[in-house]
Each structure stands twice: as structure tokens, then as C-alpha cells.
Amino acid sequence: MTTAEWITTSLVFIIAAILAVVSIRSFQNKGFLFNNAYIYASKEERGKMDKKPYYRQSAIVFCILCAVFLVIGLSLLLHKDKLFLLEIPLIVGVIIYAIVSTVQVNKKTKR
């Protein structure tokens, strides 16, 4: 492995680790809430908002993104190009989950 490959692989695994930490913190309902519904809400709405479903949604999204970066890192480390094919269903899955869970959370909060 060349130096550039080592650096790239290391950066990918560091990103995966950061995403894992953010995911764990979100599962614990701690830390900054990385969710558009929360970010774009006014201060009054944030105070009234039940943050649990938004933390859960963000935690699952960051967990799946962590898995994507782990697959990328493993494929770079092992020089297995076919491992990149595992990324596609994970990315499609995270997009579908984000859309479906947003609709579900919005339905529950409108009641």
C-alpha cells in the first residue's frame, strides 16, 4: 500500500469512528441534534418539541452512514473492489429510511 492509500484509508476509518460516536450520542439523546426539523425550528418550537423521535431518526441514519464508511474503508484496506457494491444498498436504504421516518414522525407530531 502506498502512503496515499494509507492516508485515505485512515481518513475513511476516522470518519466512520466520528459517525459512530455521533450515532451513539444520539441514541443516548445527548449532544447536538442533527435533524432539520430541530435545526429549522424556532426557539419556542424547540422548547415544546419532543426530541426523542428526532434523536432516534438521526442516530439510525448516522449508524447506517458509519456502516457505509466502514465498507469503504475495508474495501480500500483489503483491495476488494466488490465490497464497494455493498455501499449501494446501504445508501439507498438510508435515503428510504430518512424519507419514511420523516413522514412517520411528522404524522405523530401533528396529532
Side-chain angles (χ1 to χ4, degrees), residues 91-111:
I91 292 171
V92 170
V94 78
I95 291 169
I96 291 170
Y97 172 77
I99 293 169
V100 170
S101 67
T102 299
V103 170
Q104 288 177 344
V105 168
N106 286 340
K107 281 184 183 179
K108 288 179 185 177
T109 57
K110 298 278 180 180
R111 291 181 186 173

Side-chain angles (χ1 to χ4, degrees), residues 11 19 26 56 78 94 98 102:
L11 288 174
L19 290 170
S26 292
R56 179 175 163 72
L78 301 174
V94 78
T102 299

Side-chain angles (χ1 to χ4, degrees), residues 37-51:
Y38 180 78
I39 293 171
Y40 292 126
S42 66
K43 288 188 180 187
E44 298 89 30
E45 290 174 345
R46 286 181 186 180
K48 298 175 187 176
M49 184 182 283
D50 178 22
K51 297 177 193 142

Side-chain angles (χ1 to χ4, degrees), residues 62-82:
F62 282 113
C63 185
I64 297 171
L65 289 176
C66 173
V68 169
F69 277 89
L70 285 175
V71 168
I72 293 170
L74 286 174
S75 64
L76 290 172
L77 186 66
L78 301 174
H79 294 290
K80 302 285 184 185
D81 294 336
K82 291 187 180 181

Side-chain angles (χ1 to χ4, degrees), residues 10-27:
S10 298
L11 288 174
V12 168
F13 281 123
I14 289 169
I15 292 170
I18 291 169
L19 290 170
V21 168
V22 171
S23 176
I24 290 168
R25 298 278 295 165
S26 292
F27 274 120

